[in-house]
Amino acid sequence: ISTDSNAFYFNPAGPTLSELDLQFEASANQLTNNELSLGQTNFSGSEYVPKQFDLVGIHYKKGRFSFGLGYLVPYWVEVSSTFPPSLKSLKIQETGVNVSYALSDSFAIGVNGKYSQATQIQQPAASAKVEISPTITYWQWGLIYTKKRWAIGYSFSPELLWQRTISTNTLILDVAAPEKQFVGLSYFIKPDKIRLSADIISIKKIQNSVAFETYNTSNFNNDSIKSEDITFPKLGVEFL
């Protein structure tokens, strides 16, 4: 239910309800996650996530409309191995436009149009670096309804699939992102001072997998992720 440039990731309906006519936002989150095993008998090393999430956005509001431009890195992982020595990375980065419209002072709808690129880099031992970068475009939808003491918001992102095959060296990239639905709720227990909030996030089981398949058909190394449907809450409190 935020009304700032987080709309590029969470809910595209928010910016038109902002009190600001012009706004800019930049944020970065960093996470380091070291693992001794990646689930492969012939591959041991460490997993390093240099940038888990980056977002830059700017919005301009005119009347009931709001327009925005944004850049987003929702996922970036690098995997390095000492035996065998190699480096693999997967980075998803997106640019897009945001349009939101206030149907009334309380109700707004919005859409993000995103151009998304999934870049895989492979650098096995004693081999040249190979990079492939398939792209897709997709839409993300959202709505917000707000009153003086409470608000509710909803957004929907479809399941995504980036696919690319390079036949000359049989390098295959198959990356999938799950369908996601966000429901946001908030309530002021003291008007304009203390607000409680909750997000209910639903992530559908992906039909494909995030997979790396090496440049050599005789030696496939697959790193894949598949999960069940997941629904979980995020809770917060805010003092204004």
Side-chain angles (χ1 to χ4, degrees):
I1 57 173
S2 63
T3 59
D4 53 34
S5 292
N6 279 302
F8 282 110
Y9 182 72
F10 289 104
N11 192 337
T16 191
L17 297 177
S18 172
E19 296 180 356
L20 301 175
D21 292 334
L22 181 64
Q23 58 173 307
F24 172 80
E25 178 171 337
S27 61
N29 293 268
Q30 183 168 322
L31 173 67
T32 299
N33 177 32
N34 293 310
E35 294 183 357
L36 297 178
S37 173
L38 293 174
Q40 297 176 251
T41 57
N42 64 336
F43 189 93
S44 63
S46 63
E47 179 181 0
Y48 175 54
V49 185
K51 290 188 176 69
Q52 181 72 9
F53 179 88
D54 292 332
L55 183 148
V56 178
I58 185 169
H59 275 87
Y60 174 70
K61 179 182 173 183
K62 184 69 173 179
R64 292 187 176 274
F65 279 98
S66 176
F67 306 91
L69 300 174
Y71 171 74
L72 177 68
V73 181
Y75 184 83
W76 187 1
V77 61
E78 290 185 350
V79 179
S80 60
S81 172
T82 55
F83 181 78
S86 64
L87 170 68
K88 298 189 291 183
S89 70
L90 174 63
K91 179 181 181 180
I92 297 175
Q93 50 188 337
E94 301 177 336
T95 56
V97 296
N98 169 258
V99 178
S100 58
Y101 178 72
L103 297 170
S104 69
D105 293 338
S106 300
F107 185 47
I109 57 176
V111 61
N112 289 326
K114 295 183 179 180
Y115 176 80
S116 182
Q117 181 182 61
T119 301
Q120 175 191 322
I121 296 177
Q122 292 248 33
Q123 189 152 16
S127 299
K129 181 175 72 173
V130 180
E131 177 179 327
I132 53 177
S133 299
T135 60
I136 60 173
T137 57
Y138 71 96
W139 302 97
Q140 179 184 6
W141 306 91
L143 56 87
I144 292 179
Y145 184 77
T146 180
K147 301 297 287 186
K148 182 174 178 59
R149 298 193 67 167
W150 61 273
I152 183 170
Y154 171 81
S155 69
F156 173 84
S157 296
E159 180 177 294
L160 308 174
L161 179 63
W162 300 258
Q163 286 182 309
R164 173 68 63 85
T165 300
I166 299 178
S167 58
T168 54
N169 57 12
T170 66
L171 182 63
I172 301 170
L173 176 65
D174 180 8
V175 179
E179 174 189 308
K180 296 184 288 291
Q181 298 185 65
F182 295 85
V183 176
L185 305 167
S186 76
Y187 179 74
F188 278 105
I189 58 175
K190 186 175 182 181
D192 300 327
K193 291 295 182 182
I194 301 175
R195 177 166 60 184
L196 302 178
S197 65
D199 283 335
I200 309 299
I201 302 169
S202 174
I203 300 177
K204 300 291 290 184
K205 178 180 179 180
I206 55 179
Q207 301 303 311
N208 292 278
S209 62
V210 178
F212 298 90
E213 301 185 20
T214 65
Y215 61 100
N216 188 332
T217 54
S218 64
N219 183 27
F220 275 98
N221 288 326
N222 303 301
D223 301 335
S224 63
I225 300 173
K226 292 186 176 182
S227 68
E228 302 300 322
D229 293 353
I230 301 172
T231 300
F232 60 95
K234 295 173 64 179
L235 306 175
V237 61
E238 184 177 28
F239 176 77
L240 304 177

